Every structure is written in structure tokens, then in C-alpha cells.
Amino acid sequence: MVTTAKFAETRDVLQNISWQTFKAMLADMGCERNKRLAYDNGIVEIMTPLMPHENSNRLIEGFVLVLCEEFGLEVKSAGSLTMTRDDLERGAEPDSSYYIQNEFLVRNKENIDLNTDPPPDLVLEVEYSRSKIDKLALYASMGVPEFWRYNGNVLRIYALNNGQYSQSDRSPTFAPVLVTEIPRFIQESKKVGQIAVTRAFRTWVRQQISTAGQ
């Protein structure tokens, strides 16, 4: 086992683990846990979020919900959905995941199976420390249309095109709004608080939408 630690999260890495063992680990650990697991090519990464990690995750989730509301889009927040594909022998539990375009397909589902259900339309990974697993390749293989990656300073947006991600300045889902500006609102929350910054973010989103429509 290899362990790396940052002030925002810890990452434990297990190597030479079979897919069947990984699936057994998921079953044994259950759903009531704060650790998030990922698997690819025999490597298991166990990430334990600490306060800065979770705070950033929750703030961004609030901003995503504001964006959906202002764009008139329905959304199903799937949280740290356990995403496994037996045919790919790959698995991940993002910090947050959202069904937006395909929300109506999973609206009334209590359990989502990626072997039959579509993947989330948007997933978020907060990574203050570098993951040992190539999340771009992992989520691309699962067909996730949009992937957001926040490292504590920069929010990078990736859009899936022809089976591969390309970095984009704008979100395909919220194109009129420059969502890469979200980190400054996260920093502002440390001064004014979560409710105040969410209110400011909503005002800013409306301005962005209005400007784009002119």
C-alpha cells in the first residue's frame, strides 16, 4: 500500500488487485462511508476527503444547482455514485455526479446500474492531490459527456468528443456562463459565507445569461 496525504484529502493506493476483489471491497465497505474508491488496470485508489475537499465539493454542487435552476434545467444529484462497468473492469466514485440531459431516464430510480442505465451527464472530481488513476481515460471509457476537475485553484472543464476528452473554456451544458470563474466564488465564500456567495453567484449567472442573449 502506498499512502499520499495533502491537507485536503488522503489517498491510499493498492496494486495488483483483481476486478473481483475490488467489487468485493465495495460490497464489504458498504454505502455508509466517506471514502471514495476508484479502480483501473489493477490499481485501487481509496480517497478520504478532509474539510477543504468536502467544502469545495459542496460549494460547487450548490453552484451547479443554481446553474440548472437559472437555465431551466431539471437535475438529479447522484452524489458520489458508485460507477462500475463489468465489461470495462473500471470503477469510480466521483465527488459529485449529476443527471441533467438524461435526468428523465433515472428520475424515479433508487439504484442506477451503468451496465443498463446511462452514465451521469456531468461528474466532478476535487483533486487537491494528484490521483494515481487516469480519471480522464476512466470517465471517457464510461461515456460521461462532461467532466469537471477542481484542484483547489483552477476548475478545468472537459467535454467528450469521439470518445476522448478535450479541455474547454466553457461547459457544454452551461455554455453562456464562464464556469471556470467558479474558483473565485469559492475563495470569496471564506470571507462572506456560503449563503452570501451563493446569492452573489446567482446574480452573476443571471448577468452572464443576459449578456449572452443580447
Side-chain angles (χ1 to χ4, degrees), residues 1 4 15-16 31 49 61 66 76 101 104 132 154 159 170 182 184 188 195 205:
M1 178 185 296
T4 61
Q15 299 181 345
N16 301 315
C31 298
E61 173 161 277
V66 167
K76 181 183 181 76
Q101 291 87 350
F104 68 99
K132 298 297 183 182
V154 178
R170 293 186 180 271
I182 280 176
R184 71 179 175 89
E188 185 66 17
I195 297 299
V205 167

Side-chain angles (χ1 to χ4, degrees), residues 8-19:
E9 68 226 3
T10 64
R11 295 182 186 275
D12 297 322
V13 177
L14 308 175
Q15 299 181 345
N16 301 315
I17 304 298
S18 71
W19 175 247

Side-chain angles (χ1 to χ4, degrees), residues 71 79 120 123 143 151 161:
F71 276 85
V123 301
N151 67 2
N161 294 297

Side-chain angles (χ1 to χ4, degrees), residues 47-175:
M47 190 278 292
T48 304
L50 303 177
M51 178 65 78
H53 182 114
E54 282 293 72
N55 184 242
S56 296
N57 179 36
R58 300 297 180 181
L59 282 167
I60 295 173
E61 173 161 277
F63 297 152
V64 169
L65 297 180
V66 167
L67 285 163
C68 287
E69 186 176 356
E70 294 301 321
F71 276 85
L73 300 171
E74 194 48 81
V75 60
K76 181 183 181 76
S77 298
S80 186
L81 174 69
T82 299
M83 301 170 58
T84 57
R85 283 276 298 273
D86 291 328
D87 56 331
L88 301 173
E89 293 195 351
R90 280 174 158 170
E93 294 178 323
D95 287 293
S96 295
S97 57
Y98 308 91
Y99 284 90
I100 303 172
Q101 291 87 350
N102 286 320
E103 179 273 339
F104 68 99
L105 294 176
V106 297
R107 180 177 298 174
N108 65 346
K109 292 198 172 187
E110 297 296 327
N111 296 293
I112 294 174
D113 181 358
L114 294 195
N115 293 299
T116 54
D117 295 316
D121 298 296
L122 168 64
V123 301
L124 165 69
E125 288 272 5
V126 177
E127 295 180 339
Y128 283 76
S129 56
R130 185 179 295 275
S131 174
K132 298 297 183 182
I133 290 178
D134 185 347
K135 296 294 181 65
L136 288 173
L138 191 156
Y139 288 125
S141 71
M142 292 185 176
V144 176
E146 189 170 349
F147 175 30
W148 290 13
R149 202 172 207 170
Y150 178 62
N151 67 2
N153 295 302
V154 178
L155 177 65
R156 292 183 172 86
I157 309 299
Y158 298 92
L160 191 65
N161 294 297
N162 298 319
Q164 292 187 327
Y165 284 118
S166 57
Q167 191 171 342
S168 175
D169 290 335
R170 293 186 180 271
S171 160
T173 305
F174 312 112

